[in-house]
Amino acid sequence: MDLKGKHFLTCDDWTKEELDTVFEKAKELKEKFYKEELTLDLPYKTLFMIFFEQSTRTRNSMEAGMTQLGGHAHDLTADKMQLSHGEAPKDTAIILSRMGHGIASRNCFYGIGNKYLTEMAENSTKPIMSLQDDIYHPFQGLADLMTIFEHCGSDTKNLKVTVSWAYADTHSKPLSVPQTQILLFPRYGIDVTVAHPKEFPLSKDIVEKAEKNAKDGGGSLKFTNDMDEAFEGAHIVIPKNWGGFGHYGVQDYLDNEDECKKEMKVNLEKYHNWICNDKRIALADKNVKLMHALPADRGNEVTDEILDNPDISIVFDEAENRLHTAKSIMSLTM
Ligand code: CP
């Protein structure tokens, strides 16, 4: 299958067959990584990475991945570039695609990030990869699913996965991780339950798309405002904060940003009890696994006892799989 040049802005733009090729390649690359075999698929090739915000896993999986594939990644931030003086994403994409072999960017500003990446993709002659935007986090979705295959087997039909909002006081996290998960998992036959307080919905259009994906893929999708109910019988739980952006239309939010942020803060403080703890884990399947994209807000989203319990927590396998899936996408598209 020839995937060279294909943009990676959302897993939804990739067929299941294409995604299966990505998982096969990621598995092969992981095996070779463990055997310390060389995988010089991209000798002397260049990836430009543009980060508008912080990152540990994404930045390092991409940069280490490029090195391990024989190429090099430029670790750029907007303040190092003329972007900070307003250079258009279109111009940036045209220029960088003439100088290298791929461009990757993280831009999570609500109502802006995905538009930014889409404009780059429309103008780049080389693949554009999303390192997370305000709607999607496709590399995270791949690592999540690879981890699920490793721990639960590749036949994921009837697997019950709970994607739950959880309290956090670090920052207003984007919607992109849970939205990617609800779009992707049901395509593999997974039964997904989403739990969130009423003021923290996911975007309506994404939910509609995910419902269609579930219908086509043989999985299912259901919603509740009760975290306990969502944990009952779950094989995998993913408790994670997301901001209240989905409560607002994009234009409404952009026009009234300060008021929306204030309201989100007030709403957030009502839900300190949305935490993954022993009591909630006891409601789940006896072999339940905890996943989290990380960074986790320990003691708020999930207790240390659960996060550090090796019988339950597979979060570090999930984080490591960011490397193998990143290498797979880069190797196949660049
Ligand atoms: N999960 C994830 O995207 O982590 P970083 O923000 O550290 O890249």
Side-chain angles (χ1 to χ4, degrees):
M1 184 177 293
D2 184 9
L3 295 168
K4 196 168 154 65
K6 189 171 172 68
H7 300 307
F8 186 55
L9 300 189
T10 163
C11 298
D12 247 42
D13 289 341
W14 288 51
T15 65
K16 194 153 172 286
E17 203 185 359
E18 288 170 338
L19 292 175
D20 289 342
T21 302
V22 174
F23 290 122
E24 266 167 46
K25 181 75 185 169
K27 191 172 173 221
E28 176 199 316
L29 287 163
K30 184 169 184 172
E31 281 163 9
K32 289 186 175 167
F33 179 78
Y34 275 75
K35 288 189 213 152
E36 297 197 9
E37 278 178 27
L38 291 180
T39 52
L40 304 177
D41 295 4
L42 302 175
Y44 304 110
K45 290 202 171 178
T46 299
L47 173 74
F48 299 103
M49 304 191 297
I50 309 168
F51 282 90
F52 287 80
E53 35 243 305
Q54 298 84 345
S55 163
T56 295
R57 280 140 291 268
T58 307
R59 184 191 304 279
N60 291 295
S61 58
M62 299 296 286
E63 185 163 348
M66 271 307 284
T67 303
Q68 292 163 24
L69 293 168
H72 177 69
H74 290 212
D75 182 8
L76 302 162
T77 50
D79 63 300
K80 284 183 190 161
M81 302 177 68
Q82 294 295 4
L83 290 168
S84 57
H85 290 147
E87 184 159 26
K90 171 180 170 171
D91 297 342
T92 306
I94 293 171
I95 293 151
L96 294 183
S97 64
R98 285 183 175 215
M99 293 184 179
H101 307 89
I103 305 170
S105 184
R106 168 174 285 192
N107 184 335
C108 298
F109 297 110
Y110 188 58
I112 295 170
N114 182 260
K115 282 200 179 84
Y116 192 93
L117 287 163
T118 302
E119 187 175 331
M120 297 236 305
E122 282 164 1
N123 291 283
S124 172
T125 53
K126 303 287 161 51
I128 299 287
M129 293 163 239
S130 168
L131 302 179
Q132 186 176 21
D133 65 27
D134 53 324
I135 305 177
Y136 308 111
H137 194 353
F139 278 111
Q140 186 63 50
L142 292 182
D144 291 346
L145 203 46
M146 181 173 182
T147 310
I148 291 174
F149 293 152
E150 288 174 347
H151 284 272
C152 305
S154 56
D155 180 3
T156 46
K157 181 88 187 130
N158 300 323
L159 192 73
K160 288 186 189 165
V161 176
T162 290
V163 174
S164 178
W165 186 92
Y167 177 80
D169 63 6
T170 50
H171 64 293
S172 248
K173 302 186 187 189
L175 300 168
S176 47
V177 170
Q179 292 193 161
T180 296
Q181 291 164 341
I182 69 162
L183 285 165
L184 182 61
F185 296 170
R187 292 176 69 189
Y188 283 79
I190 296 175
D191 295 324
V192 177
T193 300
V194 182
H196 61 77
K198 61 184 187 323
E199 298 91 342
F200 292 87
L202 300 175
S203 294
K204 196 166 166 281
D205 56 332
I206 294 295
V207 169
E208 284 168 9
K209 227 170 159 191
E211 278 165 347
K212 187 179 176 309
N213 285 358
K215 211 168 157 205
D216 296 345
S220 67
L221 190 58
K222 72 176 191 207
F223 292 85
T224 172
N225 299 131
D226 182 335
M227 194 174 184
D228 287 346
E229 183 191 318
F231 269 56
E232 281 167 18
H235 299 120
I236 293 174
V237 291
I238 313 178
K240 187 188 178 307
N241 179 261
W242 60 82
F245 305 102
H247 196 51
Y248 310 96
V250 167
Q251 203 50 52
D252 200 24
Y253 178 86
L254 294 176
D255 290 345
N256 305 287
E257 199 167 334
D258 289 344
E259 291 86 81
C260 293
K261 279 184 180 162
K262 264 189 222 149
E263 192 176 54
M264 283 199 273
K265 220 168 157 26
V266 171
N267 287 334
L268 177 71
E269 293 312 319
K270 298 183 210 166
Y271 298 109
H272 282 254
N273 61 342
W274 280 63
I275 181 169
C276 176
N277 55 17
D278 283 342
K279 256 169 80 182
R280 288 206 164 101
I281 284 291
L283 299 170
D285 183 82
K286 64 179 184 352
N287 296 315
V288 65
K289 300 292 175 215
L290 170 85
M291 292 179 67
H292 192 298
L294 302 180
D297 191 341
R298 285 173 175 263
N300 281 323
E301 291 177 311
V302 54
T303 60
D304 286 343
E305 290 72 29
I306 302 297
L307 193 68
D308 295 329
N309 183 334
D311 294 331
I312 297 175
S313 177
I314 55 173
V315 299
F316 299 114
D317 292 344
E318 183 183 1
E320 183 197 316
N321 282 336
R322 292 295 309 274
L323 173 72
H324 310 302
T325 46
K327 284 164 72 177
S328 175
I329 288 284
M330 292 189 287
S331 170
L332 291 165
T333 62
M334 284 176 61

